[in-house]
Each structure stands twice: as structure tokens, then as C-alpha cells.
Amino acid sequence: MLDLGLIWGYWGRGMPDNLVELSVEAEKLGFDAVWSAESWGSDAFSPLVLIAAHTERIKLGTGVVQLSARTPTATAMHAITLDHISNGRTILGLGVSGPQVVEGWYGMPSRRPLARTREYVEILRRVFRREGPMAFAGEHFQMPYEGDGSEGLGKPLKVMTHPLREIPVWIGAEGPKNVAQTVEIADGWIPLYYSPFRPEVYAGELAPARPGFEIAVNVSMRVHDNVEEALYPTKASLGFYIGGMGAKGQNYHTKLMARMGYEEEAYKIQDLFFEGRRDEAIAMVPTEFADEISLVGSVDRIRDRLQAWDESPVTMLNVAARTPAELRTIAELVKG
């Protein structure tokens, strides 16, 4: 049976009104996780601390923490603290983001994201295992730091707060090399888009996955009489990410859509978006593509299409329900 997650994402203008209440309801209905994210506004950890104080069982996932926002040891401290507060319910989801955010907001270099991710995860593992003082000499991270501006007084340290366990690390990845590395070094994968109707897109990268490897996919799940109308929010999101979340030639989302069989449409969407023709970009998103990565329509249609997800490598569906009624409907459809 597929696990269920509730997505909060990152905040817009302010905190969602029913953040705690809906998360508590999700736990009562048997949801397995609740997820918080960050971009250049709200942070990913703080909302989960608040939710942890009002829940007992549901897992608390960062989906995702931006690598460039914190040093690996700072992220480890956040994760260990949240894990203590929640009695061992943390899932640490990580992602590199794109150069526009990494360099534009965090003021950090964006080069060699795979190598940075590998070093980052290795440091996290060492901190969580607390096997000894941290000494790491990598290309991107050095502890103690002995580069330009160093006083030369740093010493290897071991985290004071004892981790409850080795916290699971999941990675948000899109490119084939990134997904392959994720399967190698992480405990789970958080794809941006995944189609259970096109398993061949990632079959090679997922083949070496060890037993217990998790895959959590964000999907739009909505009971509605009009499939096209129900898919509009998905199309709007796709138009924004594929068209605007990146630069020409450096947009992971555009490249992913192209690899999934929609190359001509992907680059046309990007062109339209950069020309300021956003409504046309959204209209260009193929209904078939939006439908493959969503679960919308009548109850019977959703149940029928859930079979493809059940037979896929995916282990968790994450949904952005915003009312108790939506939560109940989704729980009944997925959990039975």
C-alpha cells in the first residue's frame, strides 16, 4: 500500500491559516508524513517544529532543504534538534536548487552540484553517527577550515547533542546522473515529476536501488467531473517551473519534460514564458503530460489510475490537500 504525505511546501505572503489543524487531521486519517519546503522565504524546519508539538506519529519531512542555505553541520544540527523534539520522526530531504536561487539568493557558487551533494551527505552521515570529531577535507567543504582568511585555530569537533539515530536522508533530484547518485548515497528520492506510465525514464537509474529505498512523489489529487479543468493547477505549475525556474540551457525542469517525451513542447513553453506570454505557456502544457503526473477526475477514474502508481517503484504520494474533506477523500482512495 502506498504511503501518503501532506505537502505544505514553502509559504507565500504568510503562514497558512490551518497549518497545524490540517496536519493533526492528516495524522488522524492515517497519513504517514507531512512535508515543509523552502525557497527564498519561509524556512523548511520551523513549521515542522510547530507541527511536531501537536502530533505524535506522523513523520516530518523537509521537502526540500536547500543545500546552499546552510553548511552541512548546520543542517545536521537542525535535523538532530527536530528529531529530538519529535521523538525520531524526521526525514531530512535535501536539494541543490538551480543557479538562479543558489547564486542569486544564497550568494553561493552553483558549480559541480553532484560533487557538492555527495560531500554534503557524507558529512551529515558522519555527524549523525557521531563516531569521532569531524575532520573532512573535500573540494567543497573543509573542516576545520584552513583556506583563505583562516586563523588556523580550528579544531575537529563532535556534535554535542547525541542523535537519536542516523536520520534518513532523501534527495530531490531530476537529472539522470543526480538520480543515479541519489540511489547510491541516499535513503530516498523526491522527484519533481514522475509518470508511472513511463517507467523507462528512470528505470536504469533506479535498478541498483537497495531494498527499503523510498520514492516520494508530489501529485495533484482532485475529484472533479471535468478532467481538463481539474488539471489546470498542474498545468500552471508546470508552465512556471518549465518556463521560468531557470535560464535558457540551464533549467532542469525543462530538460526533464523533454526526456519524458515532450521535448518540442518543453522548449516552446520556455520560449513563451521568457517572452512574457505566460498564459500561452500554460496553455501549451500537454494535457496528457499533466494527467500522467496527477490523479484527477471521478472517483472511479482515480482508483483506476492508482493501479499504475501501485505497480510503480513509488512508495509515497504527497498531496497538497487544504481541507479536512479533501484529506478524507484522498485517504479513502489511497488507503481504502
Side-chain angles (χ1 to χ4, degrees):
M1 182 182 293
L2 288 163
D3 286 345
L4 267 177
L6 172 61
I7 309 167
W8 282 111
Y10 43 79
W11 302 354
R13 184 180 295 270
M15 174 177 161
D17 291 336
N18 58 349
L19 177 77
V20 171
E21 293 81 4
L22 205 64
S23 299
V24 170
E25 184 67 18
E27 180 175 69
K28 291 177 181 177
L29 290 169
F31 274 63
D32 301 276
V34 59
W35 297 85
S36 178
E38 61 187 19
S39 54
W40 53 91
S42 58
D43 79 275
F45 286 105
S46 300
L48 297 177
V49 174
L50 180 60
I51 293 168
H54 292 84
T55 56
E56 297 179 356
R57 177 196 57 81
I58 200 164
K59 294 177 182 177
L60 307 163
T62 57
V64 295
V65 160
Q66 306 274 345
L67 265 70
S68 298
R70 304 165 189 82
T71 64
T73 46
T75 295
M77 291 164 62
H78 278 289
I80 291 168
T81 304
L82 176 61
D83 212 43
H84 271 277
I85 290 170
S86 65
N87 293 318
R89 291 186 278 148
T90 301
I91 300 171
L92 179 57
L94 306 170
V96 294
S97 194
Q100 288 71 29
V101 176
V102 172
E103 297 179 1
W105 180 249
Y106 295 117
M108 301 292 288
S110 186
R111 63 185 176 86
R112 303 199 64 194
L114 269 68
R116 282 190 292 117
T117 301
R118 182 178 288 272
E119 289 188 14
Y120 205 102
V121 172
E122 175 60 25
I123 293 169
L124 288 171
R125 299 285 196 201
R126 293 192 192 184
V127 174
F128 294 154
R129 291 168 185 163
R130 204 172 179 271
E131 293 173 346
M134 176 59 67
F136 189 89
E139 176 187 356
H140 301 275
F141 303 101
Q142 303 85 41
M143 291 146 44
Y145 178 73
E146 297 177 349
D148 292 344
S150 168
E151 297 285 351
L153 301 175
K155 59 180 292 187
L157 300 171
K158 182 163 60 174
V159 64
M160 287 191 292
T161 304
H162 290 223
L164 297 177
R165 63 201 173 114
E166 186 170 337
I167 297 168
V169 175
W170 298 17
I171 296 176
E174 291 180 64
K177 292 181 180 178
N178 199 353
V179 175
Q181 176 173 276
T182 296
V183 170
E184 177 190 351
I185 68 174
D187 304 293
W189 172 40
I190 308 171
L192 183 61
Y193 315 130
Y194 184 89
S195 169
F197 303 99
R198 298 173 188 263
E200 69 279 2
V201 174
Y202 287 116
E205 290 79 13
L206 294 177
R210 59 193 177 281
F213 185 80
E214 303 273 5
I215 302 175
V217 181
N218 296 351
V219 297
S220 174
M221 188 179 295
R222 188 180 179 197
V223 177
H224 200 286
D225 293 335
N226 188 316
V227 170
E228 185 71 33
E229 186 176 330
L231 286 172
Y232 182 79
T234 301
K235 286 188 172 186
S237 175
L238 286 168
F240 175 69
Y241 275 87
I242 292 164
M245 288 293 280
K248 288 287 187 70
Q250 186 66 307
N251 185 320
Y252 304 124
H253 318 307
T254 311
K255 293 177 181 178
L256 173 57
M257 183 178 175
R259 288 199 309 276
M260 293 178 76
Y262 299 94
E263 182 174 4
E264 181 179 348
E265 295 91 338
Y267 290 106
K268 181 61 174 176
I269 290 166
Q270 188 178 59
D271 289 341
L272 289 168
F273 199 94
F274 276 106
E275 291 169 9
R277 299 155 66 185
R278 297 191 178 193
D279 290 342
E280 293 177 61
I282 293 169
M284 179 62 63
V285 176
T287 296
E288 181 184 5
F289 179 51
D291 199 23
E292 285 183 26
I293 63 174
S294 305
L295 282 162
V296 304
S298 67
V299 167
D300 288 341
R301 185 177 193 269
I302 292 175
R303 283 199 178 114
D304 180 61
R305 294 176 74 83
L306 267 170
Q307 183 175 346
W309 292 93
D310 285 330
E311 295 171 356
S312 77
V314 172
T315 59
M316 181 182 293
L317 297 180
N318 293 331
V319 298
R322 289 297 177 263
T323 68
E326 288 179 335
L327 285 178
R328 284 193 294 272
T329 298
I330 291 168
E332 289 169 0
L333 283 166
V334 177
K335 297 290 191 180

